[in-house]
């Protein structure tokens, strides 16, 4: 799947592209079930909030077939190959739970400063793709972005090890206030299956979720192969060391697998 001329223009100007209904309902149904199983497990790759509720399931594409198919889906891989003009590899893969009632904040930040400081990523030739697993609403802690903030480049960030359970290089209030005064804040919302692609220097964050509605989002971080990390300090399940180019799967691979698994689940429910 290639980005259109308008999508490329929007990405350049605004720093993000939102594609509602990118993944069909059959695929979403399977991913929702598999995510529930993953979050019920006790594994070192599953990071918890200070409250003990699950925050992030890292690297589940390495042990779950449905998420492995997401991580190589042509809807996600081809646009980034197009944007970077070369092959891409998976720098990180995760599901952020933002659990009902307990999901904690993600402070205002850009992704590249963390990838650079903690993993030794040379340039902002990597980016996050968010795939909505639940409906993302204005009330359940949607991801908020500051349009055009990617044009400011990598901003001075501070290592925040205290606000949440997950250390992050974050922005100060003055910087965020200035950028928001210029460009406002946008929170793309919508049904499960929507996809948001955003620049590595896009300023973004999300508030806590005190509603009864969970807000699970999958994040696939793809980097240009020429931009492989040089000095990782975080565990392999957070910053991958395998720089093999991702082989883009046929657009039907996930849906075919989902249909078969959904049929098995429906049959099992009848027994
Ligand atoms: O899931 C969220 O609300 C934010 C996640 C995020 O900003 C990140 O992973 O960099």
């Amino acid at each position: 799947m290639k980005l259109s001329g308008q999508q490329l223009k929007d990405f350049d100007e605004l720093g993000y592209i939102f594609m509602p209904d990118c993944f069909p309902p059959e695929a979403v149904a399977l991913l929702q079930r598999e995510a529930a199983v993953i979050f019920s497990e006790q594994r070192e790759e599953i990071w918890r909030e200070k409250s003990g509720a699950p925050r992030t399931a890292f690297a589940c594409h390495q042990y779950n077939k449905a998420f492995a198919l997401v991580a190589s889906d042509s809807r996600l891989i081809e646009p980034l190959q197009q944007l970077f003009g070369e092959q891409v590899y998976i720098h990180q893969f995760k599901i952020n739970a933002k659990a009902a009632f307990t999901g904690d904040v993600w402070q205002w930040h850009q992704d590249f400063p963390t990838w650079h400081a903690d993993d030794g990523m040379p340039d902002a030739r990597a980016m996050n793709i968010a795939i909505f697993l639940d409906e993302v609403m204005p009330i359940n802690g949607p991801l908020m972005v500051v349009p055009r903030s990617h044009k400011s480049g990598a901003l001075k960030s501070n290592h925040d090890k205290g606000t949440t359970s997950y250390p992050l290089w974050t922005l100060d209030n003055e910087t965020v206030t200035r950028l928001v005064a210029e460009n406002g804040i946008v929170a793309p919302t919508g049904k499960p299956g929507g996809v948001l692609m955003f620049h590595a220097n896009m300023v973004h964050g999300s508030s806590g979720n005190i509603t009864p509605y969970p807000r699970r989002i999958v994040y696939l971080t793809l980097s240009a192969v020429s931009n492989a990390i040089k000095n990782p300090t975080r565990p392999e399940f957070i910053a991958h060391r395998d720089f093999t180019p991702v082989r883009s799967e046929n657009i039907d691979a996930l849906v075919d697998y989902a249909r078969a698994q959904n049929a098995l689940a429906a049959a099992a429910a009848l027994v």
Side-chain angles (χ1 to χ4, degrees), residues 94 96 98 106 109 111 128 141 143 204-206 215 217 219:
K94 64 186 184 232
N96 282 352
K98 190 77 82 170
W106 283 79
H109 67 285
D111 290 324
N128 257 327
L143 190 69
H204 63 285
S206 62
R215 190 238 61 182
I217 297 183
Y219 289 90

Side-chain angles (χ1 to χ4, degrees), residues 90 125 213 226 249:
I90 301 172
R125 286 176 56 74
Y213 308 112
S226 65
E249 282 286 352

